[in-house]
């Protein structure tokens, strides 16, 4: 960006404080998307502005940014929670937010750069006290870009991690990395540049590609809640899990690959005391308690919160989950049916006839392992292929159907993605379960899919429709002329339309 440092007054409309006040007051209060667009438009107009003293430029930027915050929250809420969004509407909401955070991060960093290039100017001297806030907001904006990329299962490019690293080192060099300031007037608590960089690393380490967008938002807020427990140090500790080179601007890497010789930008990340603190919260939520100081941005039921807490519990451990089975590269096709109902019909023996596979997809499998496979899919989140979706799959040329669940998305481009699928069972069977009440079986049957090849002796894992598992209700079913009675043990997993229950079999009386 080119700036004019002469004392001539800027003719930009935002240079007039009364005009700025009017513009902010007339933002589309009832149309948050329009308000964000309007502020973004003003940001565009500021990119090549001349004759703006840096302190005045920052003040205009600060006020516009603060005015946009409540509208950005509503846009995010619409993106995550609004029902029946078209693909175009979803794309517009995503682009609007991601672009905003990129614009504001760049403009805040430009303020700092202007002051650095002309340290003795009146504007730079007046701006000096605001440098920590400018750096914190720039860093927080980049963190928001990471989150919005995760909503679409995209990966942050080198420029984004380079910006995060540069801002962190710049603040550290100026003695501002630990300077705590209020991020925004309506937001409680104080924030530092170092904390925001730590937040970005913890977010990366939390494997967001196996969560749906609303769960990613919850996970991000939980990271903010537990942020004081995480550790980022220049030296490697026994509990360090990741390392990052802030000077090189690279994404974090697991310590399975050692960084080698020490260097100024090298930092090591560890969960610190976050895991025991998370475990305490997990136990409280399991008992139906949600602490009043836990800011999740809204009210969430225990059922929505628990899967996210359990996910983070896995990835904040000193030894996060690692691949258990070797992948083998292949190129083969896979037939796919979606959802509990179609899977139940299929494993009841109602197989689709070749050439008449209504509602069926055809995927290209890239690699396989004992635990599952990775395939090329079309659109991410198209209503059928979502994280946690139940899938019935059959390899090309095979006659056996398997039951699986979508676990991880990786976006490749605007129209395609790579999907990781965990195979739940290679030998599934549909059954009818009946609750036992007062010594006799209930008349209404519950459909279930028995995962026959997974589980310990005497323990059965059964996929049920949503709300089909009741820990207080004994079930029974008949198989090969034998009546089998099941005592519920625990709910292993819950998806959007199904549950996986774990049962202990006891001798029928």
């Amino acid at each position: 960006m080119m700036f004019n440092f002469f004392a001539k007054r800027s003719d930009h409309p935002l240079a007039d404080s009364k005009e700025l006040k009017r513009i902010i007051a007339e933002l589309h209060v009832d149309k948050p998307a329009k308000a964000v667009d309007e502020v973004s438009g003003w940001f565009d107009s500021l990119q090549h502005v001349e004759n703006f003293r840096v302190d005045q430029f920052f003040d205009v930027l600060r006020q516009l940014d603060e005015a946009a915050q409540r509208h950005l929250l509503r846009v995010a809420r619409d993106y995550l929670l609004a029902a029946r969004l078209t693909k175009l509407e979803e794309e517009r909401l995503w682009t609007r937010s991601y672009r905003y955070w990129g614009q504001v991060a760049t403009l805040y960093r430009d303020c700092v750069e202007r002051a650095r290039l002309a340290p003795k100017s009146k504007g730079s001297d007046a701006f000096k006290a605001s440098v920590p806030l400018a750096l914190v907001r720039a860093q927080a904006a980049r963190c928001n870009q990471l989150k919005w990329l995760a909503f679409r299962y995209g990966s942050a490019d080198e420029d984004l991690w380079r910006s995060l690293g540069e801002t962190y080192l710049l603040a550290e060099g100026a003695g501002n990395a630990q300077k705590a300031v209020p991020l925004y007037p309506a937001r409680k608590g104080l924030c530092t540049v170092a904390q925001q960089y730590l937040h970005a690393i913890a977010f990366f380490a939390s494997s967001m590609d196996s969560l749906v967008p609303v769960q990613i938002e919850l996970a991000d807020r939980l990271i903010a809640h537990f942020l004081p427990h995480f550790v980022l140090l220049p030296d490697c500790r026994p509990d360090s899990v990741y390392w990052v080179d802030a000077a090189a601007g690279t994404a974090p890497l697991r310590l399975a690959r050692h960084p080698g010789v020490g260097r100024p930008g090298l930092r090591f990340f560890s969960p610190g005391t976050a895991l025991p603190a998370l475990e305490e919260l997990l136990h409280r939520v399991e008992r139906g308690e949600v602490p009043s100081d836990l800011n999740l941005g809204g009210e969430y039921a225990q059922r929505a919160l628990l899967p996210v807490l359990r996910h983070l519990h896995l990835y904040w451990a000193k030894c996060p989950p690692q691949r258990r089975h070797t992948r083998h590269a292949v190129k083969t096709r896979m037939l796919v049916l979606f959802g509990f109902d179609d899977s139940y019909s299929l494993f009841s023996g109602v197989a689709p006839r070749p050439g008449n596979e209504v509602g069926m997809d055809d995927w290209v499998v890239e690699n396989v392992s004992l635990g599952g496979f990775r395939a090329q899919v079309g659109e991410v989140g198209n209503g059928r292929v979502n994280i946690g979706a139940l899938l019935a799959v059959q390899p090309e040329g095979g006659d056996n159907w398997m039951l699986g669940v979508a676990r991880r998305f990786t976006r490749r481009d605007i129209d395609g993605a790579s999907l990781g699928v965990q195979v739940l069972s290679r030998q599934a069977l549909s059954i009818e379960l009946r609750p036992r009440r007062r010594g006799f079986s209930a008349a209404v049957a519950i459909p279930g899919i028995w995962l026959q090849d997974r589980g310990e002796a005497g323990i059965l894992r059964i996929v049920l429709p949503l709300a089909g598992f009741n820990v207080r209700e004994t079930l029974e079913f008949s198989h090969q002329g034998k009546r089998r009675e099941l005592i519920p043990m625990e709910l292993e997993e819950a998806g959007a339309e199904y549950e996986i229950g774990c049962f202990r079999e006891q001798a029928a009386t």
Side-chain angles (χ1 to χ4, degrees):
M1 182 185 294
M2 298 298 294
F3 294 94
N4 189 328
F5 296 107
F6 293 102
K8 182 181 175 181
R9 180 178 176 83
S10 175
D11 59 358
H12 193 284
L14 296 178
D16 184 326
S17 60
K18 291 183 179 179
E19 182 66 7
L20 173 63
K21 187 176 181 179
R22 183 194 67 78
I23 288 168
I24 290 175
E26 294 181 1
L27 286 175
H28 291 79
V29 177
D30 58 338
K31 297 179 179 179
K34 293 287 187 183
V36 173
D37 285 345
E38 189 172 341
V39 175
S40 285
W42 285 117
F43 286 167
D44 284 336
S45 74
L46 289 171
Q47 287 184 1
H48 302 286
V49 70
E50 295 182 348
N51 308 320
F52 236 136
R53 267 181 36 171
V54 65
D55 58 322
Q56 297 169 342
F57 184 92
F58 170 77
D59 192 55
V60 168
L61 173 60
R62 176 189 60 79
Q63 291 187 61
L64 285 171
D65 185 24
E66 289 172 3
Q69 290 306 304
R70 60 182 176 135
H71 302 295
L72 286 161
L73 286 173
R74 290 179 62 186
V75 168
R77 191 177 299 118
D78 287 344
Y79 181 85
L80 294 171
L81 302 176
R84 300 186 180 91
L85 283 178
T86 66
K87 183 170 177 58
L88 181 59
E89 289 170 334
E90 182 180 308
E91 180 75 21
R92 284 174 175 169
L93 289 174
W94 186 91
T95 302
R96 181 175 286 119
S97 293
Y98 183 77
R99 181 173 182 266
Y100 178 94
W101 292 117
Q103 284 178 302
V104 79
T106 299
L107 290 171
Y108 278 126
R109 277 295 305 273
D110 284 342
C111 289
V112 177
E113 183 64 10
R114 280 185 61 183
R116 187 187 69 83
L117 292 174
K120 296 182 179 180
S121 69
K122 290 183 179 180
S124 296
D125 188 61
F127 171 64
K128 191 178 298 182
S130 300
V131 169
L133 179 60
L135 289 172
V136 168
R137 286 195 179 178
Q139 198 77 326
R142 294 302 185 196
C143 284
N144 275 304
Q145 283 193 292
L146 277 180
K147 181 172 68 173
W148 279 90
L149 281 170
F151 286 159
R152 295 181 66 189
Y153 307 101
S155 300
D157 58 22
E158 290 184 2
D159 288 343
L160 184 48
W161 280 108
R162 184 178 297 110
S163 179
L164 284 161
E166 286 176 351
T167 303
Y168 168 70
L169 292 177
L170 178 64
E172 189 174 63
N176 290 321
Q178 303 295 340
K179 179 75 173 178
V181 297
L183 185 58
Y184 288 101
R187 179 166 167 170
K188 294 181 180 179
L190 302 178
C191 191
T192 73
V193 174
Q195 285 175 340
Q196 288 298 305
Y197 192 47
L198 179 58
H199 188 125
I201 296 169
F203 186 91
F204 179 90
S206 297
S207 191
M208 298 299 180
D209 59 351
S210 55
L211 298 175
V212 297
V214 70
Q215 291 176 325
I216 293 171
E217 174 65 22
L218 276 173
D220 184 65
R221 288 185 175 270
L222 287 165
I223 289 170
H225 180 77
F226 289 110
L227 200 58
H229 296 272
F230 294 105
V231 176
L232 188 66
L233 294 172
D235 302 313
C236 186
R237 304 192 328 182
D239 63 341
S240 297
V241 182
Y242 282 83
W243 64 271
V244 64
D245 190 338
T250 54
L253 291 168
R254 276 191 178 178
L255 267 170
R257 175 184 171 186
H258 199 274
V261 181
R263 42 199 183 273
L266 196 60
R267 298 291 184 273
F268 295 88
F269 168 82
S270 74
T273 57
L275 187 63
L278 176 69
E279 287 173 343
E280 181 183 346
L281 175 61
L282 178 56
H283 295 325
R284 291 183 66 178
V285 174
E286 286 174 337
R287 296 194 301 267
E289 304 173 27
V290 178
S292 59
D293 65 336
L294 185 61
N295 178 17
L296 300 177
E299 296 292 328
Y300 290 91
Q302 179 195 49
R303 183 186 183 89
L305 187 53
L306 280 175
V308 181
L309 290 169
R310 289 167 180 158
H311 171 89
L312 295 177
H313 186 266
L314 283 175
Y315 287 92
W316 292 0
K318 291 181 181 179
C319 296
Q322 298 184 24
R323 196 177 312 285
R324 292 183 297 170
H325 306 295
T326 303
R327 287 182 178 180
H328 302 281
V330 297
K331 278 292 181 184
T332 187
R333 306 197 78 82
M334 184 83 75
L335 295 178
V336 186
L337 278 171
F338 300 89
F340 179 85
D341 291 341
D342 282 349
S343 297
Y344 179 81
S345 297
L346 181 70
F347 293 112
S348 296
V350 185
R353 291 177 297 168
N356 189 34
E357 299 92 350
V358 177
M360 187 180 295
D361 266 11
D362 185 2
W363 293 349
V364 175
V365 175
E366 301 172 329
N367 59 64
V368 297
S369 71
L370 288 176
F373 62 90
R374 181 166 289 276
Q376 299 173 17
V377 297
E379 298 174 357
V380 177
N382 63 4
R384 294 201 297 175
V385 189
N386 289 301
I387 293 295
L390 200 64
L391 311 167
V393 297
Q394 183 187 65
E396 184 180 43
D399 56 4
N400 181 54
W401 285 86
M402 302 178 291
L403 190 66
V405 61
R407 290 299 189 203
R408 294 180 183 277
F409 272 128
T410 304
R411 178 178 287 274
R412 290 177 165 172
D413 51 47
I414 195 169
D415 295 318
S418 175
L419 173 66
V421 176
Q422 178 191 2
V423 172
L424 297 175
S425 178
R426 289 177 168 80
Q427 190 179 347
L429 178 68
S430 294
I431 56 177
E432 290 188 347
L433 299 133
R434 297 181 185 276
R436 285 189 60 81
R437 296 169 183 163
R438 297 183 181 180
F440 61 89
S441 296
V444 179
I446 301 171
I449 305 175
W450 177 13
L451 310 179
Q452 292 182 291
D453 56 341
R454 294 291 178 94
E456 305 171 18
I459 305 298
L460 277 67
R461 294 170 68 238
I462 299 174
V463 184
L464 301 163
L466 199 62
F469 182 85
N470 186 341
V471 73
R472 298 180 179 87
E473 193 166 62
T474 300
L475 301 175
E476 70 171 22
F477 71 98
S478 295
H479 176 60
Q480 296 180 345
K482 178 182 176 182
R483 186 163 59 89
R484 311 180 76 153
E485 192 169 319
L486 305 178
I487 307 298
M489 294 175 62
E490 64 175 347
L491 179 63
E492 183 178 300
E493 181 178 348
E497 59 164 350
Y498 69 92
E499 298 175 341
I500 301 178
C502 192
F503 299 85
R504 184 179 73 254
E505 184 176 7
Q506 72 173 18
T509 59

